Amino acid sequence: QVQLVESGGGLVQHGGSLSLSCAASGRIFSGYAMGWFRQAPGKEREFVAAISWSTGSTYYADSVKGRFTISRDNAKNTVYLQMNSLKPEDTAVYYCAADPAGAYQGSSYLQTPRRYDYWGQGTQVTVSS
């Protein structure tokens, strides 16, 4: 059983930055992938970024490439999402997710929400114009 808790959301003006954290209970083992997803009101949940716990390989949605960075701290059982150059369209609830079998999967697999077994409660990110 894995519990995930996101933090770091808030209100920021366009062009600003926020850093999100996702703390996982217990240990995240080498087979895991960790992902960030977001969902705006009335919209489907969409993939943002993912990272393999073992290899460190990262994957990004085209919409955030060059602006967002996902990283991990294995010792702290924590995954981060550094968000720079934020745009109003980045406004959403951001969710952290864990996939116990995703470490060696490809981008298509990791972009699919149903592949993830554990989800955090979400943290609101609002980017003003």
Side-chain angles (χ1 to χ4, degrees):
Q1 188 81 295
V2 176
Q3 293 182 331
L4 306 173
V5 180
E6 303 98 332
S7 62
L11 174 65
V12 65
Q13 293 185 355
H14 64 90
S17 298
L18 283 174
S19 182
L20 306 182
S21 298
C22 173
S25 65
R27 299 299 300 177
I28 302 298
F29 298 103
S30 61
Y32 276 77
M34 300 291 292
W36 287 98
F37 293 78
R38 66 188 183 187
Q39 188 167 23
K43 306 293 184 181
E44 293 185 348
R45 187 166 298 185
E46 67 171 342
F47 171 76
V48 176
I51 187 167
S52 167
W53 211 249
S54 59
T55 69
S57 297
T58 58
Y59 307 89
Y60 296 94
D62 289 342
S63 59
V64 306
K65 284 182 179 178
R67 300 188 298 120
F68 291 10
T69 302
I70 187 170
S71 62
R72 77 207 198 282
D73 188 329
N74 298 56
K76 294 182 178 180
N77 246 25
T78 301
V79 62
Y80 306 93
L81 185 68
Q82 178 65 46
M83 304 184 294
N84 300 321
S85 302
L86 283 162
K87 306 173 181 179
E89 52 262 44
D90 295 318
T91 296
V93 176
Y94 282 70
Y95 296 92
C96 177
D99 174 11
Y104 301 100
Q105 302 298 327
S107 61
S108 179
Y109 180 101
L110 295 174
Q111 291 175 19
T112 306
R114 68 177 182 270
R115 303 299 188 186
Y116 293 79
D117 295 327
Y118 305 102
W119 294 83
Q121 82 288 348
T123 185
Q124 177 70 47
V125 172
T126 302
V127 185
S128 62
S129 60

